[in-house]
DNA sequence: TTGAAAGCGCTAACAC
DNA sequence: GTGTTAGCGCTTTCAA
């Protein structure tokens, strides 16, 4: 079917030269068409496309990357647990990147510690990525890597000693979300709100603590000591067992939905009712927890908006290194009130008296 | 600190030639050291490594890929929802790939339909991957792409019309898991077991239906019509509302944990107790559902084992194209009995009479 | 055990 | 609008 076109008839995959031959144009014109550049006649474009189609031509990204110095790909350093947050963020990052014409290279780092992140970054950089996305890393410690591409941090400011050409940050509004969660509980009439926090060295934990503190301080509420978890339901359960015997606790803000689920389970096992005796609000917004008993009140992390916004920023920094960064909007603060929160027993008691 | 070494002292990143210069060897020797090839003296190796370290040398994968025709990377076609299964599988695939020296390029396909998979494959192939992993795609339809690298299907056999150099499959034992789940219910004394299935065009759905049918048939149990869901808790909830009024239903196998959660919620809202009136078993093994009420009985998908095994196969096919494939073990069948399953009311009734 | 030369397939710069 | 030339940084021959 295809005419004998030099090597194109051979055994190897067709190259741009073969397409050029079939289309009757130069390789550069093929390149122009494939890259959507201007200054190509409609006729030439049509012929190139037809030839590429006929030959089953597939562009070689490695060659393009070598010649152009750009890979049109982004590296992602993902935190290693298959939690809803990480997974959801990754899905949205991939989609946003793809829509901007970038492919994704992913490395998981179970702990998110500086060494792990440094290693992941080094590997990504070797592979040749035009930019890197790091989500919510650890608070302390240097990341001892020379990074010569823009780096986007999702959800937290970059570690202080991090050295990169250009560092970008996009917020998920964790502080505001934590404040909203705490305020919701305070509004319900609780005197104060305990927090079941994540590992202390995570940025994500820090923001949530600060938002909670801010809400407490604004109402003049006493700030109880933090409870510690590791994001897992099991750790929430452990914290709940410890907490159950303290009758003064009427409201808990858990820094993650799964911890909230574990916490509630322990509380109920110990005979404390949720939300009648203790209210619990989670953090993340995994829709499945609308279907447990009680349905979990939570705040939704705007992973979709953050990913879109972040990738927009990153792509901008890659493609227009010298331009100003575009302005970024405030992430939405979305409180999802379901069944795990209610007024404290004291209020309910009053209500009960009235209605009895 | 570093001596003036030609271009190395310039503004661009050091290349292998710079390392060679500093080490006092040829570029080829540098290449040999970096690729762990034999026939390099210890002394030469030491000098090359030292020079690379001193220069902060980073290998250029694009150049290597162009020259060698291999990228040392794997493409993953992931199904688009941020569910526990997909996310968990991806984490384990990445880990196994990294341990074998391969990087990962990921594309999500929300629906897993043939067009989506074809597009994802084409994109991955352009990027230049040495192999591809596709997890549980759709049953029907061609995937009209010329694929010239080995393709691994996790969890299901390849679509019939799929044309690839080499097609590999690794099972998660879904059929056996579905059978185990169904048998568990039958063993408890239920006369039959309903199934809340996933979308019919998914392979994953097919396996689970077949395992369920096999278990039913083996006991001579009647096979009730399938209920339909889309993996989401919301769809499980919808199915549960429809099911609640049918008093003859005493046991349901939900083909996904989240659907099971939604189902249970609807059942309870309608006044049916779980597990007293109806038993429900899920499918996946997300640990968080050990902490809901009732704790979900489920079967655990061996994502870790499947990913390890699958990547081993894929890497073998890539690196030793002509060799036999290594044998693969049977994936473990793990039933996790928790609180959402119990004997049917008839049995319990008998027990209740005795104890009253 | 090591090195020299040739090219992988593409794009950049500059001509026309 | 289009073509020509010269590499991108590495690995692959093949020779020493």
């Amino acid at each position: 079917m295809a005419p004998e076109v030099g090597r194109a008839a051979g055994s190897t995959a067709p190259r741009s030269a073969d397409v050029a031959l079939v289309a009757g144009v130069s390789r550069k014109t093929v390149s122009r068409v494939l890259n959507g550049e201007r200054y190509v006649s409609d006729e030439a474009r049509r012929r190139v496309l037809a030839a590429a189609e006929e030959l089953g031509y597939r562009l070689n990204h490695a060659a393009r990357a070598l010649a152009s110095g750009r890979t049109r790909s982004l590296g992602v350093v993902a935190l290693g647990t298959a939690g809803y947050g990480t997974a959801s963020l990754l899905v949205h990052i991939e989609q946003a990147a793809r829509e901007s014409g970038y492919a994704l290279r992913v490395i998981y780092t179970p702990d998110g510690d500086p060494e792990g992140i440094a290693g992941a970054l080094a590997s990504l950089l070797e592979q040749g990525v035009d930019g890197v996305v790091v989500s919510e890393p650890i608070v302390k410690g240097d990341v001892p890597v020379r990074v010569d591409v823009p780096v986007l941090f999702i959800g937290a400011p970059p570690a202080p000693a991090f050295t990169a050409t250009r560092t970008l940050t996009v917020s998920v509004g964790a502080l505001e979300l934590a404040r909203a969660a705490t305020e919701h509980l305070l509004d319900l009439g609780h005197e104060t709100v305990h927090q079941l926090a994540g590992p202390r060295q995570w940025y994500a934990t820090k923001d949530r603590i600060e938002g909670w503190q801010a809400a407490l301080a604004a109402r003049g509420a006493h700030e109880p000591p933090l409870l510690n978890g590791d994001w897992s339901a099991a750790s929430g359960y452990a914290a709940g067992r410890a907490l159950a015997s303290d009758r003064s606790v009427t409201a808990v803000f858990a820094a993650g939905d799964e911890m909230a689920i574990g916490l509630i389970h322990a509380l109920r096992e110990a005979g404390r009712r949720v939300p009648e005796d203790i209210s619990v609000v989670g953090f993340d917004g995994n829709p499945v927890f609308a279907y447990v008993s009680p349905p979990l009140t939570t705040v939704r992390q705007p992973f979709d908006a953050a990913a879109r916004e972040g990738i927009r920023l990153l792509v901008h920094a890659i493609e227009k290194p010298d331009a100003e960064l575009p302005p970024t909007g405030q992430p939405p603060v979305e409180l999802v009130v379901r069944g795990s929160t209610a007024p404290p027993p004291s209020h309910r008691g009053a209500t009960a008296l009235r209605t009895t």
Side-chain angles (χ1 to χ4, degrees), chain A:
Chain A
M1 202 181 293
E4 278 277 322
V5 283
R7 292 197 185 123
S11 55
T12 52
R15 304 159 314 172
S16 73
D18 300 316
V19 176
L21 222 47
V22 172
V25 299
S26 73
R27 275 156 61 209
K28 179 62 209 177
T29 298
V30 173
S31 171
R32 285 202 180 92
V33 171
L34 264 23
N35 288 294
E37 288 173 25
R38 287 175 313 177
Y39 305 126
V40 185
S41 66
D42 289 349
E43 172 59 13
R45 178 179 314 277
R46 201 190 52 66
R47 292 224 308 273
V48 167
L49 260 17
E53 166 82 6
E54 176 186 342
L55 259 25
Y57 171 72
R58 212 128 61 188
L59 194 143
N60 182 326
H61 272 58
R64 164 192 275 184
L66 183 56
S68 70
R70 293 194 37 203
T71 59
R72 296 197 153 277
S73 72
L74 264 25
V76 176
V77 179
L79 282 327
T81 46
Y84 172 76
T86 309
S88 180
L89 195 51
L90 190 55
V91 169
H92 287 110
I93 287 173
E94 197 274 345
Q95 192 188 336
R98 182 147 36 86
E99 284 169 1
S100 298
Y102 286 78
L104 232 58
R105 322 224 166 155
V106 179
I107 295 196
Y108 283 88
T109 306
D111 306 313
D113 54 72
E115 293 75 34
I117 293 181
L121 277 172
S123 166
L124 253 12
L125 261 13
E126 261 195 9
Q127 290 177 54
V129 292
D130 297 341
V132 175
V133 183
V134 179
S135 75
E136 316 216 17
I138 242 66
V139 171
K140 289 195 175 50
D142 277 24
V143 176
V145 186
R146 183 188 81 243
V147 181
D148 33 23
V149 299
V151 179
L152 169 73
F153 290 87
I154 293 191
F162 192 92
T163 55
T165 312
R166 193 155 191 188
T167 315
L168 316 168
T169 303
V170 66
S171 171
V172 289
L175 196 146
E176 291 74 16
L177 288 169
R179 177 157 49 199
T182 309
E183 280 171 355
H184 166 62
L185 261 5
L186 259 14
D187 288 345
L188 248 17
H190 294 274
E191 287 196 4
T192 190
V193 176
H194 284 65
Q195 178 171 177
L196 169 52
R200 217 53 57 83
Q201 65 275 33
W202 288 55
Y203 265 118
T205 299
K206 191 162 156 268
D207 279 352
R208 291 162 209 196
I209 291 175
E210 285 175 10
W212 165 77
Q213 287 174 325
L216 254 28
R219 304 287 176 100
H222 158 247
E223 185 185 315
L226 287 167
L227 302 160
N228 299 310
D230 63 7
W231 308 124
S232 75
S235 73
Y237 181 79
R241 289 182 66 101
L243 201 71
S245 55
D246 183 349
R247 314 301 291 191
S248 74
V249 177
T250 66
V252 183
F253 161 47
D257 280 351
E258 300 209 354
M259 291 199 296
I261 295 300
L263 177 76
I264 291 172
H265 198 65
L267 257 16
R268 293 180 139 195
E269 266 188 11
R272 307 212 58 190
R273 294 166 303 164
V274 177
E276 293 82 355
D277 300 329
I278 301 190
S279 286
V280 177
V281 17
F283 194 102
D284 270 351
N286 186 340
V288 75
F289 298 126
Y291 297 93
V292 296
S293 300
L296 185 66
T297 294
T298 190
V299 284
R300 199 183 78 82
Q301 289 208 70
F303 294 119
D304 42 1
R308 242 195 331 275
E309 193 82 354
I311 295 300
R312 192 169 67 90
L313 242 45
L314 186 56
V315 168
H316 182 98
I318 291 167
E319 299 182 350
K320 305 193 179 76
D322 302 319
E324 287 284 298
L325 281 179
T328 72
Q330 281 301 307
V333 176
E334 196 176 324
L335 173 72
V336 184
V337 178
R338 296 200 280 238
S340 64
T341 48
S346 52
H347 285 225
R348 281 185 7 91
T351 307
L353 284 178
R354 270 204 304 279
T355 56
T356 304

